[in-house]
């Protein structure tokens, strides 16, 4: 949520900041701004709306002279998404400018106290309160690091921020607490950002900042301190393997389409080094010292939660491990029943989702073993889990998650096969069959996708009039139905609900008429007969139906799209992109902002 970029180096800073903000725009895009020091003066540019609005305000004169500065792209939490509330925020007394992600929970108390002391505020944000408090601290402590430390002792909540001062041109301070912040180490230039793509074109050398750490940097030097004691902290510089191309559109009209089409490669990358074809074994060295769980508890949000729910079906039916799946925002406030046989699996693409992290911390505190499944290397979830398995899907830029879910399904299945091998050695044949089918899956899927997109484009146009949709599935395809509905609503703004098909007649069927279509997932498996009956009930009420079918499961419905047939759970890898493409094509046809849908942002780092 919200993006931060800060730069100090030898290049003109504003183009670097704008480039960084472009790559962070997926984290928030309702307003943006930047600030820098030039000629002994703080310069501030802010605009509401997309980044282009900010760019059009930048006059090309003096902006090219500054070689350091801070930038921000916002997803509003406190106050409307207008220019006044856009970051950076200034404190004019001390000539400080600050960009901030997160929420200062006690901001109102601090604001009232500062107001009583004569401080005037221009915006409704908690960020302005933060910069004014630092300024207040500076009056007492006469040193910026000490002023920051004094301030951080008083604030509650989550934050990642970067600060500049007119009186110290070229120096930037930044700190974090429960909100991601990274430091990028260049040659004669350094970066701070909330996500790696912001500085990826310049450096792959990264320092992952932890909670309670404060960094001071300029073009040639950097030091990290404990933000309470101001004792120096030694940090390791790590090299990330992400490449710049992976964070670009690569000829596709939208990141979402690119990421949907990347899924065959994602499957290959996820499988790489994890399958031993000769011995017909799954290799997950991360799990070497971990016993097969007696009971697994999966916790996640949104699309990652749907992946977890899908995992319940495969894990229980193949590995025989009982699985509970919970939404992190609910789980974190529930009573945790002590049951030492449980292992927890937290799933998150970003590894920074606030609710998922809070749930993880709770579980760790109670002494349960924690396994993390995560895409972003070095993210909070990856660092805080006892054991982490990376999905290796590469950067996912589009707000709507697609390839990340694909990679989560691959890993969940690998985990299932791995534990099946240990729990049920008699299942050797199904493991061999799974490995064989997995190996051919990427190529089959790659061939299938263009034609799938062509067909779905036509179907989605025919249904673009719909105001509401049901997505139905049974068994392993019930979580897929939830995901299909989530994708459609988030990027096309068409109301959609996912249901287990058998639930329809317990209420929802009351909504069906000729203007309420249904998208059914009806492959030829043991539940086909059941779903056929559900669809007949819909047709009897004049409901229109689109169905995903397979050879042998043809249905007499309005529109049908046949997908190839493969081994058991792997059929999901054809169904998932079909659902994603349906949402994508509908959104494009309706002229919506596919990659940056309204009210959303990638990586929900606030509760
Ligand atoms: C939907 C979507 C969200 C995320 C959710 C969890 O397309 O992207 O529902 O899946 O916010 O995010 P992560 O996986 O980063 O924890």
């Amino acid at each position: 949520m919200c993006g931060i970029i800060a730069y100090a180096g030898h290049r003109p800073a504003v183009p670097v900041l704008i480039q960084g903000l472009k790559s962070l725009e997926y984290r928030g895009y309702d307003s943006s701004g930047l600030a820098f020091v030039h000629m002994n003066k703080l310069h501030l540019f802010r605009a509401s709306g997309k980044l282009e609005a900010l760019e059009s305000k930048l006059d090309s004169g003096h902006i090219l002279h500054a070689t350091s500065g801070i930038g921000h792209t916002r997803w509003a939490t406190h106050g409307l998404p207008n220019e006044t509330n856009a970051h950076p925020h200034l404190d004019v007394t001390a000539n400080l400018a600050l960009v901030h992600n997160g929420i200062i929970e006690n901001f109102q108390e601090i604001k009232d106290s500062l107001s009583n002391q004569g401080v005037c505020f221009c915006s409704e944000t908690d960020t302005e309160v933060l910069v004014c408090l630092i300024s207040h601290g500076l009056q007492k402590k006469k040193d910026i690091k000490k002023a920051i430390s004094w301030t951080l002792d008083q604030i509650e909540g989550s934050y990642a921020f970067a600060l500049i001062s007119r009186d110290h041109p070229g120096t930037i301070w930044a700190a974090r607490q429960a909100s991601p912040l990274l430091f990028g180490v260049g040659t004669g230039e350094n970066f701070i950002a909330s996500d790696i793509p912001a500085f990826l074109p310049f450096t792959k050398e990264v320092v992952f900042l932890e909670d309670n750490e404060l960094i001071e940097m300029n073009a040639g030097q950097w030091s990290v301190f404990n933000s309470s004691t101001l004792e120096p902290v030694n940090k390791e510089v790590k090299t990330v393997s992400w490449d710049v191309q992976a964070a670009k559109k690569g000829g596709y009209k939208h990141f979402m389409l690119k990421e949907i089409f990347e899924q065959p490669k994602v499957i290959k990358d996820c499988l790489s080094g994890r399958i031993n074809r000769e011995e017909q074994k799954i290799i997950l060295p991360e799990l070497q010292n971990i016993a097969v769980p007696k009971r697994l508890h999966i916790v996640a949000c949104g699309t990652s939660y749907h992946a977890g729910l899908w995992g319940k079906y495969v894990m229980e039916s193949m590995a025989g491990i009982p699985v509970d799946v919970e939404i992190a925002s609910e789980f974190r406030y529930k009573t945790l029943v002590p049951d030492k046989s449980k292992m927890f699996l937290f799933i998150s693409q970003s590894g920074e989702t606030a609710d998922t992290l809070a749930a993880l911390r709770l579980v760790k505190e109670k002494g349960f073993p924690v396994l993390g499944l995560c895409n972003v290397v070095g993210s909070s979830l990856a660092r805080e889990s006892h054991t982490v398995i990376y999905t290796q899907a590469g950067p996912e830029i589009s707000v709507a998650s697609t390839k990340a879910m694909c990679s989560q399904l691959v890993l969940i299945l690998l985990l299932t096969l791995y534990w099946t091998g240990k729990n049920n050695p008699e299942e050797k044949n199904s493991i061999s069959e799974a490995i064989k089918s997995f190996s051919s899956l990427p190529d089959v899927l790659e061939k299938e996708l263009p034609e799938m997109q062509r067909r779905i484009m036509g179907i989605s146009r025919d249904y673009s009039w719909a105001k509401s949709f049901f997505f139905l599935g049974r068994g392993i395809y019930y979580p897929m139905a939830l995901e299909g509905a989530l994708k459609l609503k988030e990027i096309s703004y068409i109301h959609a609900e996912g249901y287990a098909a058998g639930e329809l007649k317990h209420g929802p069927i009351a909504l069906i008429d000729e203007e309420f279509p249904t998208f059914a997932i009806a492959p030829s498996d043991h539940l086909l007969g059941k779903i056929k009956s559900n669809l007949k009930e819909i047709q009897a009420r004049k409901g229109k139906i689109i169905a995903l079918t397979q050879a042998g499961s043809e249905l007499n419905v309005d529109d049908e799209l046949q997908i190839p047939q493969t081994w058991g759970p792997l059929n999901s890898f054809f169904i998932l992109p079909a659902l994603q493409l349906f949402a994508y094509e509908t959104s494009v046809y309706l002229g919506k902002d596919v990659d940056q849908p309204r009210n959303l942002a990638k990586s929900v780092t606030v509760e």
Side-chain angles (χ1 to χ4, degrees), residues 301-304 348-350 353 399-401 486-487 490 604:
C301 297
T303 292
S304 297
S348 174
Q349 185 284 129
S350 62
T353 300
V399 165
S401 187
L486 175 62
K487 286 284 97 81
E490 77 181 311
V604 185

Side-chain angles (χ1 to χ4, degrees), residues 290-466:
I290 298 179
V292 183
K294 296 221 163 11
R295 197 175 186 97
L296 189 69
H297 210 114
I298 302 181
V299 185
C301 297
T303 292
S304 297
Y305 166 76
H306 297 156
L309 210 51
W310 182 90
K312 175 180 168 72
Y313 285 87
V314 289
M315 193 74 76
E316 288 186 343
S317 66
M318 296 179 67
I321 300 172
V323 179
D324 306 304
V325 191
E326 291 204 57
I327 296 168
S329 56
E330 285 298 311
F331 174 81
R332 64 183 287 193
Y333 294 112
K334 275 178 41 180
T335 310
L336 194 54
V337 179
D339 173 359
K340 287 293 170 200
S341 66
K342 263 187 208 167
M343 177 194 278
F344 279 83
L345 171 66
F346 289 86
I347 308 177
S348 174
Q349 185 284 129
S350 62
E352 300 294 350
T353 300
D355 285 318
T356 311
L357 285 174
L360 182 154
R361 288 170 189 149
L362 187 85
V363 158
K364 252 179 100 180
E365 214 177 271
K366 302 270 181 209
F368 289 97
V370 168
L371 182 60
L373 186 58
C374 174
N375 191 35
V376 178
V377 176
S379 60
S380 303
L381 185 128
R383 285 175 293 134
E384 293 184 34
S385 300
H386 294 121
T387 307
V388 61
I389 302 183
Y390 284 113
T391 47
Q392 299 175 183
E396 188 179 66
I397 306 293
S398 179
V399 165
S401 187
T402 54
K403 66 172 181 173
M405 179 163 180
C406 170
S407 67
Q408 290 163 350
L409 301 188
V410 174
L411 262 303
I412 289 171
L413 198 47
L414 288 181
L415 212 57
T416 304
L417 294 170
Y418 182 86
W419 281 331
T420 306
K422 305 227 171 249
N423 253 5
N424 307 324
E426 67 281 7
E427 288 290 329
K428 209 166 176 356
N429 285 346
S430 20
I431 298 176
S432 303
E433 202 183 338
I435 288 179
K436 203 163 121 235
S437 315
F438 239 149
S439 308
S440 58
L441 178 66
D443 290 343
V444 185
L445 181 58
E446 188 159 8
K447 281 203 198 88
E448 191 63 23
L449 283 176
E451 177 58 13
M452 188 186 269
Q453 184 192 9
R454 198 192 62 72
R455 282 287 325 277
I456 288 177
M457 187 188 290
I459 298 176
S460 63
R461 286 177 184 193
D462 292 346
Y463 287 82
S464 57
W465 49 266

Side-chain angles (χ1 to χ4, degrees), residues 176-193:
R176 64 158 276 176
Q177 176 72 41
S179 191
L181 201 64
L182 309 145
F183 173 62
V185 192
T187 310
E189 57 185 352
N190 289 315
F191 306 79
I192 288 164

